[in-house]
Amino acid sequence: MSQSIMAYAGIDTGKHKLDVAVHGAKARLQVTNDEAGHAKLVTWLRRQRVRRAGIEASGGYEKAVVARLRQDGFEVVVFQPAQVRAYARYRLQRAKNDRIDATLIAACTADCEAEDIHAPPDPRLAAQAAHLTLIEQITEDVAR
């Protein structure tokens, strides 16, 4: 009987760099948040046998790496910052830095149930996302 064990990664996203951790392992990586760094990340994740990666939404800095990971066949979970903070509180974790955050996001990713993971958005809608955001902001401004 063969048993398949999925490895999970957590990615803490910054404007210029990505900090990455594998759940339950000491494996760590830091790469630049650009195409070259994304290529190194994909190669490294494959060597670590990672199939699912979690990443915290961070003002759009995560979008390019999320697209690259999905394009290369990884399952990607995009967490809202409030979800990660709540998970840290649940785990009674107060320390905070990029490496710790990556480890926390990896644990959060490992704890996700398959049915809680949303399918990636339809790529045909990406072009309309900025327009929809603008419309929502204008609607809120008018209501205020």
Side-chain angles (χ1 to χ4, degrees):
M1 177 170 98
S2 71
Q3 201 173 17
S4 175
I5 298 174
M6 186 186 299
Y8 305 95
I11 304 170
D12 184 61
T13 311
K15 183 176 184 178
H16 301 292
K17 67 182 175 73
L18 303 170
D19 285 279
V20 190
V22 175
H23 179 66
K26 293 184 179 183
R28 301 279 181 276
L29 177 71
Q30 187 178 77
V31 295
T32 55
N33 192 0
D34 57 19
E35 287 184 30
H38 300 169
K40 289 177 189 175
L41 173 63
V42 166
T43 301
W44 187 82
L45 289 173
R46 286 192 175 132
R47 267 189 279 140
Q48 302 298 320
R49 292 181 164 73
V50 169
R51 291 184 29 220
R52 181 186 297 162
I55 189 166
E56 184 178 12
S58 60
Y61 296 131
E62 78 287 351
K63 288 183 180 182
V65 70
V66 167
R68 173 65 188 266
L69 291 172
R70 285 180 173 156
Q71 172 189 334
D72 288 346
F74 291 92
E75 184 176 302
V76 181
V77 182
V78 180
F79 294 104
Q80 293 302 311
Q83 290 175 289
V84 176
R85 282 193 306 272
Y87 191 77
R89 280 194 302 271
Y90 165 72
R91 306 253 332 237
L92 303 175
Q93 186 170 336
R94 288 188 166 72
K96 182 164 175 45
N97 66 38
D98 295 341
R99 288 186 69 182
I100 291 172
D101 287 351
T103 303
L104 178 70
I105 294 166
C108 194
T109 303
D111 281 349
C112 278
E113 298 294 330
E115 60 270 7
D116 295 332
I117 299 171
H118 304 289
D122 187 328
R124 297 173 297 174
L125 300 177
Q128 303 302 320
H131 298 298
L132 179 59
T133 300
L134 178 62
I135 291 168
E136 289 172 346
Q137 290 171 340
I138 291 171
T139 303
E140 289 173 8
D141 288 347
V142 167
R144 266 194 299 272

